[in-house]
Amino acid sequence: SRNHYQFIEDLDLNMGGDVIYPKSYTNIKQTDHYLMVPLKIGYEAVIGKKLSLVPTIGAEMAFDLGGSYKGERFDLNDTKLYDVKGRFENDKPRLVGTLGFHLEYRFNHNVHFFAGPTARYFMNNAFSYLHSSSANLMPHILTMDMGVLCRF
């Protein structure tokens, strides 16, 4: 799950020339849900009896489980015009490149707890459902991953 804020502006063409200016703006909170299937490699650098640092690199297949957005629309005087709310349709699966750095705690040889930052880059446009040229969205995110690793 990923949450972020974005500002989207409507643009109008000034009839007196080619000046483009905003007439209103929207403050939106967008939440996307993905099922990520990872394939990563890493190197475990032991720093203590139970602790390790593990840099990782790899890829994930991101299956879109849908998303939603909600927010408010304002004019340029910051007067609220109306609320906005909706859901996004599921998008096709995406290939995501990853680069991470985790701290692992070993409960035993087969069970580890891990946590750390991971940078993700969506290889193709992850936001194809937004067709507005004024939506400046980036195809990369920085997340904090944590979980339990079970070795068999």
Side-chain angles (χ1 to χ4, degrees):
S1 182
R2 178 170 50 94
N3 295 319
H4 68 274
Y5 292 91
Q6 67 186 33
F7 295 92
I8 300 176
E9 298 181 3
D10 277 348
L11 299 178
D12 264 349
L13 181 62
N14 184 341
M15 299 310 286
D18 58 358
V19 178
I20 297 177
Y21 63 93
K23 64 179 181 178
S24 63
Y25 66 94
T26 305
N27 182 2
I28 295 176
K29 178 182 179 187
Q30 176 179 322
T31 304
D32 298 305
H33 300 280
Y34 293 96
L35 172 63
M36 308 295 271
V37 179
L39 177 60
K40 300 179 185 180
I41 60 172
Y43 176 78
E44 183 175 7
V46 177
I47 59 173
K49 186 175 180 180
K50 293 204 173 256
L51 287 177
S52 298
L53 289 175
V54 182
T56 63
I57 189 168
E60 299 173 336
M61 280 302 293
F63 296 94
D64 188 359
L65 302 177
S68 62
Y69 62 91
K70 65 179 179 177
E72 299 169 322
R73 187 79 169 169
F74 298 91
D75 66 15
L76 293 182
N77 295 320
D78 291 329
T79 303
K80 182 177 171 182
L81 301 173
Y82 52 86
D83 291 325
V84 293
K85 184 177 182 179
R87 300 196 58 76
F88 295 117
E89 294 182 20
N90 291 7
D91 212 349
K92 64 183 178 180
R94 304 290 178 183
L95 180 62
V96 181
T98 66
L99 181 63
F101 192 72
H102 298 154
L103 180 65
E104 285 190 7
Y105 177 81
R106 291 183 296 283
F107 292 108
N108 59 45
H109 179 70
N110 295 326
V111 180
H112 298 204
F113 171 78
F114 68 90
T118 298
R120 289 183 164 82
Y121 185 85
F122 287 76
M123 299 299 184
N124 42 11
N125 185 3
F127 306 104
S128 63
Y129 48 77
L130 291 176
H131 297 290
S132 170
S133 62
S134 62
N136 296 319
L137 298 174
M138 302 304 272
H140 56 273
I141 57 175
L142 180 64
T143 63
M144 176 61 97
D145 291 351
M146 58 179 40
V148 176
L149 172 66
C150 298
R151 296 182 181 171
F152 298 99

